[in-house]
């Protein structure tokens, strides 16, 4: 037995919180995790019907799931979200920081302070607040049994998203830095922290940018000549959460079709 492994890690049920799991990549992740035996909390901000449909689908497959409304940019709501997971699903073993947003495509000189604050809040503050609660539950420093965190960054952190949303790209750059820093901070405390960097994925997020058909417009220029599916990102997330990735931390898995 390797004494550096967290105690009793193999004996406990896997309990996963996915933020922003009512649709898109988060929903695909929650559904796949449910099929793989995770007890899943489906967090959402506004769209209760979508989150309930994800929970119903997990339960229909014989899994355990729970929908919890919480805005992950608000400390009190994040605390309530994690307390609900504690009470309803058991000790947290995995977190996917998926919730994130972008706004209308424009150049940097058109971006104002209010928009910057919204973009930083949803894409940076949310993952920080949730990671904080996860570390307090998982870290052996606080008597936890370890766990895994996957941050959903973006290929935008490498590409910069010129003429579309440099603010969003910069926020995902912050997520990459947090992934590295937190991974090193908790590496000896039983917690692995990694990130996926999706490329162009078919979800509703592109409508927020003002171009619902963005993936189809850009796809012909991509190395694989197509956009990705949320399920393809979910597979990468589940891999990083799983014991198959037990010696990987502070790393990035690009799911971007070669871009
Ligand atoms: P999406 O379809 O727009 O879904 C976003 C989800 O996040 C929704 O369920 C939404 O909940 C939730 N959400 C947003 N802000 C929230 C908040 N403050 N608190 C709680 N939940 C919140 O987006 P997606 O494309 O699946 O994106 C998921 C993640 O992947 C994001 O971090 C995004 O930046 C990243 N990503 C996406 C792509 C892509 O091409 N799609 C590429 C790279 C990275 P409600 O519906 O209840 O509002």
């Amino acid at each position: 037995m390797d004494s550096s492994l967290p105690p009793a890690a193999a004996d406990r049920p896997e309990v996963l919180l996915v933020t922003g799991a009512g649709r898109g990549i988060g929903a695909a992740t929650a559904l796949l995790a449910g099929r793989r035996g995770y007890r899943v909390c489906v967090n959402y901000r506004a769209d209760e019907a979508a989150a309930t449909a994800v929970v119903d689908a997990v339960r229909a497959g014989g899994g355990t799931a729970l929908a919890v409304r919480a805005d992950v940019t608000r400390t009190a709501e994040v605390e309530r979200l994690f307390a609900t997971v504690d009470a309803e699903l058991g000790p947290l073993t995995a977190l996917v920081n998926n919730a994130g947003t972008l706004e209308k495509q424009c150049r940097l000189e058109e971006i104002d302070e209010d928009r910057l604050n919204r973009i930083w809040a949803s894409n940076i503050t949310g993952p920080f607040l949730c990671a904080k609660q996860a570390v307090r539950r998982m870290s052996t420093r606080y008597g936890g049994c370890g766990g895994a965190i996957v941050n959903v960054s973006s290929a935008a952190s490498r590409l910069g998203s010129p003429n579309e949303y440099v603010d969003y790209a910069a926020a995902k750059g912050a997520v990459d830095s947090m992934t590295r820093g937190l991974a090193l901070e908790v590496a000896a405390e039983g917690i692995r922290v990694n990130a996926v960097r999706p490329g162009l994925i078919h979800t509703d997020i592109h409508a927020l940018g003002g171009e619902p058909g963005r993936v189809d417009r850009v796809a012909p220029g991509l190395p694989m000549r197509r956009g990705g599916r949320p399920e393809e990102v979910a597979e990468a997330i589940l891999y990083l959460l799983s014991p198959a990735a037990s010696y990987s931390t502070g790393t990035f898995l690009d799911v971007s079709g070669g871009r």
Side-chain angles (χ1 to χ4, degrees):
M1 175 73 184
D2 183 343
S3 62
S4 68
L5 290 174
D11 303 333
R12 59 202 167 123
E14 294 285 356
V15 174
L16 168 65
L17 166 59
V18 185
T19 66
R23 52 195 164 88
I25 293 167
T29 302
L31 291 167
L32 185 61
R35 285 203 295 278
R36 300 229 174 128
Y38 286 81
R39 299 162 68 84
V40 188
C41 177
V42 175
N43 159 249
Y44 66 101
R45 178 181 50 181
D47 192 343
E48 183 175 9
T52 301
V54 173
V55 166
D56 289 346
V58 171
R59 290 178 179 166
T64 301
L66 171 76
V68 179
R69 182 196 295 261
D71 180 343
V72 296
T73 70
R74 315 292 303 182
T75 297
E77 296 191 32
V78 170
E79 288 175 351
R80 179 179 49 75
L81 168 64
F82 278 77
T84 305
V85 173
D86 294 339
E88 303 289 332
L89 297 178
L92 188 77
T93 64
L95 166 67
V96 177
N97 268 321
N98 168 77
T101 51
L102 47 72
E103 298 195 16
K104 287 275 179 293
Q105 296 173 2
C106 66
R107 286 169 54 95
L108 183 145
E109 65 265 31
E110 295 166 39
I111 299 173
D112 65 18
E113 180 182 353
D114 287 345
R115 167 165 163 164
L116 287 177
N117 287 332
R118 289 191 299 272
I119 292 294
W120 303 159
S122 61
N123 295 294
I124 306 175
T125 304
F128 267 80
L129 293 179
C130 291
K132 169 179 171 173
Q133 293 299 321
V135 167
R136 289 191 168 174
R137 286 162 172 78
M138 296 173 179
S139 171
T140 54
R141 182 188 181 101
Y142 301 110
C145 294
I149 298 172
V150 172
N151 293 325
V152 181
S153 176
S154 172
S157 73
R158 294 184 280 104
L159 300 170
S161 303
N163 303 306
E164 292 191 328
Y165 13 72
V166 174
D167 52 349
Y168 169 80
K172 293 301 191 181
V175 171
D176 287 2
S177 297
M178 185 269 259
T179 301
R180 279 296 294 166
L182 181 61
L184 300 178
E185 210 164 90
V186 298
E189 299 170 18
I191 306 176
R192 295 182 301 103
V193 185
N194 294 289
V196 292
R197 286 193 294 220
L200 280 162
I201 310 299
H202 288 280
T203 73
D204 295 343
I205 202 170
H206 306 289
L208 298 176
E211 189 185 4
R214 177 168 176 262
V215 178
D216 291 330
R217 171 177 63 82
V218 178
L222 299 178
M224 291 179 71
R225 306 282 187 269
R226 68 171 180 88
R229 291 178 288 109
E231 292 77 15
E232 293 178 291
V233 183
E235 289 282 358
I237 292 171
L238 265 290
Y239 163 70
L240 288 171
L241 289 179
S242 78
S246 56
Y247 201 48
S248 293
T249 197
T251 63
F252 302 89
L253 182 43
D254 290 338
V255 190
S256 51
R259 194 182 191 209

